[in-house]
Structures are given as C-alpha cells and as structure tokens.
Amino acid sequence: MQNKSTIFVLDDNEQAGAIIKSYTEGLEFIDEVKIYQDYQKGFADIKQCSNPIVIMDISENFSDKGEIAENLKLCTSKIIITSLDYSTNTIIQALRAGAKEFLPKPVLKDDLIRVLTMLASISPEDENSQSKIITVYSNKGGIGKTTIAINLAAELAKVTKDKVALVDLNLQLGDISTFLNLNPPFDVNYVIQRLIDKEEQIFIKGFEKYKDTSLYILSDPSYIEQSGSITAQQISALFAMLKKVFSYIIIDMSSAIDPISLKILDDSDWILFTTIVNIPAIRNAQRCLNLFRSRKYPPQKIKIIVNRYMENDEIKIEDIENTLGENVYWKIPNNYFTIMEAINKGAAIAEINPDSNICNNFREFASKVSDDIIEQAVIKYRV
Ligand SMILES: Nc1ncnc2c1ncn2[C@@H]1O[C@H](COP(=O)(O)OP(=O)(O)OP(=O)(O)O)[C@@H](O)[C@H]1O
Ligand SMILES: [Mg+2]
C-alpha cells in the first residue's frame, strides 16, 4: 500500500458528500476527506496534492464537469465518477472523461470501499493499467503500415487528449522521422540501451513531443549502423515502461517474421493487421493469420484493416472476410495524392488536408479504437 491518500469529493449535493465521508471512516489508507461543491476550487486543491483520489459526481451539467475531468486526468488517474444516471452512455462518457471507476448513485458503502481499496493499492507505476499497445503490422512491405501508424496516433492524441506514443520499431528501415520531417535528439535504440531503467521523466525525454499535441514520438536511428540489435528482454522492458507513461502506444514495425518481430506481436494488446485489396496480399494475409492462430492469439487481439480501399474494387469486403474467415475491422480509402502531399511536406494528413476523405476516415478510426477500448472496460459494469 502507498502513502495515505487524500479523498476529494466533488458533488453539488452537500449531503451526498457527507455520506461518502461517513462511509470512509476508519479506512486506514485514507488521510483526509475533503468535500467541495465548487468543482473549480476542488480541482485547484487536487493539483496541489501528491496522492489524491477523486470522487466526482456528474449527475448534472456534464458539459462543464467533463472538461474538469479531462484536466483532472492529467493530475491523477485515480478518479471515480458517480451519477444518478447509469445508462451505458453515461458510463462511456465517464470513462472517456478519465474515470477509472464508475459508481451509480446512491453509492453503496461496500462498492465504495471496494473501489477505494483497489485505487489506493495502485502504485504510481501501474496507474496506466488500461494502457494498450497497438501494433500496425503486415507481413508484406509497402502496404501502408507507417502511414496508418502516424495518422492514427495523431488522431488518437487529438480525440482522446491522452498521452499517445508512436514508436518506430522498424529499426533499420524506419520511416516515421522522414514522414514527419523530424530530427529527433534521441532514437529508439538509444532509449532502449540507456533509458528504460531510468525514471519516467528521464525516459520521456527520449521522445519528441509532436508540435502542440499529446503525441510523443520515438524515432528510428538516423543511420543503419546505429540500429544495433535489440533483445526480446529489451522489448519487454520497453513495453513495460511505455505502459507506465502512455495511454495508447502505437507501434510501427517491419514486415519481417523473425524472433524480435514475433516478440513485438506476442506482447502487443492489439494487432492492426493490414492488407490491401489484391489477391497476393490477401493470400499472404491468410498465411499470417494461420501463424497468429498457431500462436494462440485471442481473436479480439487481431483487427483486420483494409487499406487503399475503393468502392468499385472487383474484390469486395465480403470476399476478403470469406477468404480470411474474419471480419474486417476498418477500411481506409485510397487517396494517394493527399497522402503523398503529407509525406512530401513532412506532416500528418490532418495538418495538410483536414477535410479530405482520408483525414475524416482516420479521425473516425481513432474514435472507434478509443471507444472499443473504453467499451471493453464498460463490460464489467454490465455483468
Ligand atoms: N490509403 C492510401 N491511399 C493511397 N496511398 C497510400 C495509402 N496508404 C499508403 N499509401 C502509399 O503507399 C506507400 C507505402 O506506404 P507506407 O510507407 O506507409 O507502407 P509501409 O507498409 O510502412 O511500407 P514498409 O514495408 O516499407 O515499411 C506510400 O507511398 C503511401 O503514400
Ligand atoms: Mg513503413
């Protein structure tokens, strides 16, 4: 158990705050319970506290409170949201705003104690326990992995405002720094060799913060001779550290199927397995899916992405689904000129052509990814 926590109750209803306070009496891991009806004042005090747990009610005026919750999640992940309305929509809204737990009102004493005990026992290292490693992969080169990784990561940062990492694990032929015209002071090899045992603040310095966003990029080495060799153990250590710091981690990698690639794929939470609509690509995808099945990856880990999709393609999405025996998770339209313009100008598509069909597609894709991750977390409230 950590140092004692201070509980901050933000609730329009004074009595509800007092009830919560009475429920927490005698809990040895709680230092103090502070009750606020003025949410802004509560937020100002939470920022000053080293180990807060926040219980925030959103029964009324969610639009103002949602914004406070979004700022709160930059101070702590230990946020419980309560509401008189416990429809699925409200729970999703709460989790999206940053709640780690949702409790319907009136709050029951046993539920409150269970949730508080769980949150108090989370060490700062494990605060990002919902964090997901999402790897964009194809066993065929040139299929659009880097394009997808970059633009999905950029949109995820915008849509969620959470910390998102984009990591180039294509150590010898990485393209992220070129596609985004970056000249990073550190690269992934440097970080792996020197920084992963260090504390979070030092680790994060190895990343380049992308413009004014919550996207952090770890690029490939500038020279092939710097790429070094990484071990499976180093991949595990890197992933563990990434999960401590970031909510979403997007990995770009090579098409190889070698022991290190397999380690990356094994340790990913999701694989965005990408193909395009042509027979050789689909046949290759089929082989790779068999490999995934033989490695006993759970079906929900693999999400099939069809890139460069065109409505009038002779091969239809149903044909791909029938051949692969899996549903297609997302399709991305073919738009060569917009993508090439973004690459040539060294920026994400949203900076070059935010109204293009492909930019809208990436925005919706990012929303779906974050919604689906949140929905996985909501399931526990519905059983
Ligand atoms: N949706 C799309 N529409 C049109 N062109 C695309 C699309 N996605 C990717 N491309 C183009 O395909 C080419 C390859 O893309 P990208 O470099 O992202 O693929 P990759 O899978 O990362 O390749 P590699 O295996 O070399 O790492 C690029 O020229 C890119 O502009
Ligand atoms: Mg690439």
Side-chain angles (χ1 to χ4, degrees), residues 3-23:
N3 297 337
K4 288 190 172 191
S5 305
T6 304
I7 308 241
F8 293 81
V9 185
L10 277 51
D11 201 314
D12 293 318
N13 181 332
E14 198 180 349
Q15 211 190 347
I19 291 173
I20 285 181
K21 184 168 181 166
S22 73
Y23 286 170

Side-chain angles (χ1 to χ4, degrees), residues 6-289:
T6 304
I7 308 241
F8 293 81
V9 185
L10 277 51
D11 201 314
D12 293 318
N13 181 332
E14 198 180 349
Q15 211 190 347
I19 291 173
I20 285 181
K21 184 168 181 166
S22 73
Y23 286 170
T24 60
E25 258 158 37
L27 294 177
E28 88 286 357
F29 54 86
I30 291 172
D31 194 22
E32 193 183 352
V33 180
K34 296 182 163 188
I35 302 173
Y36 298 81
Q37 284 161 280
D38 178 342
Y39 283 47
Q40 291 293 356
K41 169 88 179 67
F43 176 48
D45 289 354
I46 291 163
K47 280 198 283 189
Q48 308 300 323
C49 177
S50 64
N51 196 12
I53 297 180
V54 181
I55 304 173
M56 176 170 160
D57 185 67
I58 60 161
S59 300
E60 286 164 39
N61 293 335
F62 178 73
S63 50
D64 303 339
K65 290 168 186 162
E67 205 180 310
I68 295 174
E70 297 228 327
N71 291 323
L72 262 179
K73 72 181 174 186
L74 301 173
C75 314
T76 179
S77 67
K78 297 182 180 180
I79 302 173
I80 301 166
I81 285 187
T82 62
S83 177
L84 286 166
D85 167 15
Y86 45 92
S87 62
T88 302
N89 268 351
T90 303
I91 299 175
I92 290 178
Q93 227 171 11
L95 296 180
R96 193 179 283 149
K100 194 134 216 149
E101 290 290 333
F102 176 87
L103 291 176
K105 266 193 160 174
V107 172
L108 301 178
K109 185 175 181 182
D110 285 353
D111 287 347
L112 181 71
I113 292 178
R114 174 182 54 77
V115 166
L116 285 175
T117 310
M118 186 275 291
L119 290 184
S121 68
I122 297 177
S123 64
E125 297 86 68
D126 296 329
E127 282 210 6
N128 252 332
S129 58
Q130 314 256 20
S131 155
K132 293 276 178 281
I133 298 202
I134 301 173
T135 297
V136 186
Y137 182 70
S138 163
N139 54 330
K140 221 169 154 40
I143 230 117
K145 298 184 293 296
T146 305
T147 306
I148 295 172
I150 288 175
N151 292 290
L152 175 63
E155 290 304 315
L156 267 174
K158 263 199 247 158
V159 169
T160 66
K161 299 191 183 68
D162 283 331
K163 274 198 199 141
V164 177
L166 172 61
V167 181
D168 200 337
L169 286 180
N170 193 349
L171 287 188
Q172 296 207 341
L173 293 167
D175 281 327
I176 290 177
S177 55
T178 315
F179 277 31
L180 290 177
N181 193 23
L182 304 174
N183 204 351
F186 301 104
D187 61 58
V188 67
N189 191 49
Y190 184 93
V191 168
I192 286 176
Q193 306 294 342
R194 296 178 187 81
L195 301 183
I196 42 180
D197 296 329
K198 303 279 191 301
E199 54 196 84
E200 274 174 41
Q201 284 91 336
I202 297 179
F203 174 73
I204 205 168
K205 283 200 178 122
F207 291 69
E208 179 152 348
K209 191 173 190 308
Y210 190 63
K211 299 185 180 164
D212 200 14
T213 69
S214 58
L215 173 64
Y216 292 77
I217 298 173
L218 190 51
S219 300
D220 58 311
S222 309
Y223 302 101
I224 286 184
E225 59 272 25
Q226 292 173 329
S227 67
S229 55
I230 49 173
T231 62
Q233 251 174 345
Q234 285 171 326
I235 294 288
S236 298
L238 176 68
F239 280 13
M241 196 68 192
L242 285 164
K243 283 196 156 190
K244 274 188 211 170
V245 180
F246 298 100
S247 302
Y248 299 88
I249 300 128
I250 307 294
I251 309 276
D252 184 18
M253 60 182 285
S254 81
S255 316
I257 298 185
D258 54 28
I260 291 302
S261 297
L262 286 173
K263 174 71 183 164
I264 297 169
L265 294 169
D266 286 351
D267 287 5
S268 298
D269 296 297
W270 283 18
I271 298 171
L272 299 181
F273 182 52
T274 307
T275 185
I276 52 172
V277 188
N278 71 33
I279 304 268
I282 295 167
R283 201 156 279 155
N284 264 294
Q286 212 175 8
R287 282 195 219 135
C288 197
L289 281 177

